[in-house]
Amino acid sequence: MMSTELGELTQTVNKSFLNLTLDLRYDDPGDPNRFFFRSDHYNYARKGIPIIFFFDGVHEDYHQLGDQQTRSIMKRCKR
């Protein structure tokens, strides 16, 4: 399901230009957290559309079950 060609291209470009340390553990289909499968990217990948899944881990702003809508932009969206 995950694109190995796009993964290889990402690694090559990174090594050539950015040289960032990429942690690939979340790309593992066996990741117990299943972040990839819960991402917006998943539905594209399962249809064969190559994607790159960058995830910076769980942090203060990561979605949780008890999230409250405190940073909403709805006021700006209303006409």
Side-chain angles (χ1 to χ4, degrees):
M1 178 178 2
M2 297 185 199
S3 171
T4 54
E5 292 173 4
L6 195 53
E8 291 168 4
L9 178 62
T10 301
Q11 293 290 352
T12 301
V13 170
N14 178 50
K15 287 179 183 174
S16 297
F17 297 100
L18 302 170
N19 206 27
L20 299 173
T21 300
L22 300 177
D23 182 349
L24 303 177
R25 69 181 147 178
Y26 299 120
D27 291 340
D28 182 352
D31 173 33
N33 296 299
R34 298 181 55 84
F35 290 120
F36 171 76
F37 297 94
R38 296 171 10 194
S39 75
D40 296 335
H41 302 72
Y42 173 72
N43 286 306
Y44 293 99
R46 72 184 188 98
K47 297 286 187 179
I49 300 170
I51 60 97
I52 298 176
F53 177 61
F54 290 111
F55 178 66
D56 61 355
V58 177
H59 48 78
E60 182 180 308
D61 289 331
Y62 188 73
H63 302 296
Q64 301 293 323
L65 288 175
D67 280 355
Q68 298 292 319
Q69 192 173 4
T70 58
R71 296 185 183 188
S72 173
I73 61 167
M74 291 307 293
K75 290 178 184 177
R76 291 186 280 168
C77 292
K78 291 183 181 178
R79 294 177 189 221

